[in-house]
Amino acid sequence: MIEPGQPRLLLLNGPNLNMLGRRDPGHYGTFTLADAEQLARDAAAEAGFTLDCYQTNHEGDMLEKIHAAMDHYRGLLINAGAWTHTSYALRDALELTRLPVMEIHISDVQHREAFRRVSVIEDVCMGKTAGLGLDSYRVATEKMCAYLRSLEYGR
Ligand code: DQA
């Protein structure tokens, strides 16, 4: 059941993203996860959505959060970290929700190590935003909100 009030989005961050601010600044800048979450929250609020945030390093916890999300959110935004490249369980959980999902990466995954070019979740996502640093979170949120609004207004 969709809850009354403002439509809700959920921003998910996977393994090691709690360490933003301490990771390689060349790929991940110097901002923290709290900065990324706040930017996404503000972008969502600007478009009339409430955004909740969740981060975990435990794959089972992520799967359960996604299962529970399906009745409460209009869309999911996810930086799945290294699970992006490996986790078919994550792919299946995202698909199960039947919600629109936006894949997020901070770094330019297309131009790094070969394994980062592989995404096993991309076919269940409506889009991907990567390589913009901190701004990936803002742009991804804006794209998701615009997409959901376009569905609502039929354009
Ligand atoms: C990442 C890219 C992944 O390859 C990596 O494992 C991460 C972060 C990114 O945001 O650029 O942890 O998803």
Side-chain angles (χ1 to χ4, degrees), residues 15 17 23 28 79 81-82 85 104-107 109 112 116:
L17 290 157
R23 298 184 72 177
Y28 301 111
N79 186 344
H85 319 300
I104 302 176
H105 300 289
I106 297 160
S107 65
V109 282
R112 298 183 60 194
R116 292 186 206 275

Side-chain angles (χ1 to χ4, degrees), residues 62-150:
M62 180 64 89
L63 299 181
E64 286 176 7
K65 187 73 180 176
I66 292 169
H67 296 159
M70 59 195 293
D71 295 325
H72 301 287
Y73 293 94
R74 299 280 179 92
L76 305 177
L77 301 143
I78 184 164
N79 186 344
W83 293 333
T84 306
H85 319 300
T86 60
S87 178
Y88 291 97
L90 179 61
R91 180 212 171 279
D92 284 356
L94 293 171
E95 184 180 39
L96 183 65
T97 66
R98 302 173 69 93
L99 291 170
V101 182
M102 173 65 75
E103 181 181 345
I104 302 176
H105 300 289
I106 297 160
S107 65
D108 186 0
V109 282
Q110 289 306 319
H111 297 100
R112 298 183 60 194
E113 304 95 316
F115 77 89
R116 292 186 206 275
R117 276 175 234 142
V118 178
S119 169
V120 303
I121 66 171
E122 71 185 353
D123 76 303
V124 297
C125 295
M126 44 73 83
K128 184 186 307 205
T129 305
L132 304 178
L134 176 60
D135 233 23
S136 287
Y137 285 89
R138 182 182 61 77
V139 171
T141 305
E142 287 175 355
K143 283 190 205 165
M144 174 63 79
C145 294
Y147 174 73
L148 291 169
R149 290 286 176 215
S150 76

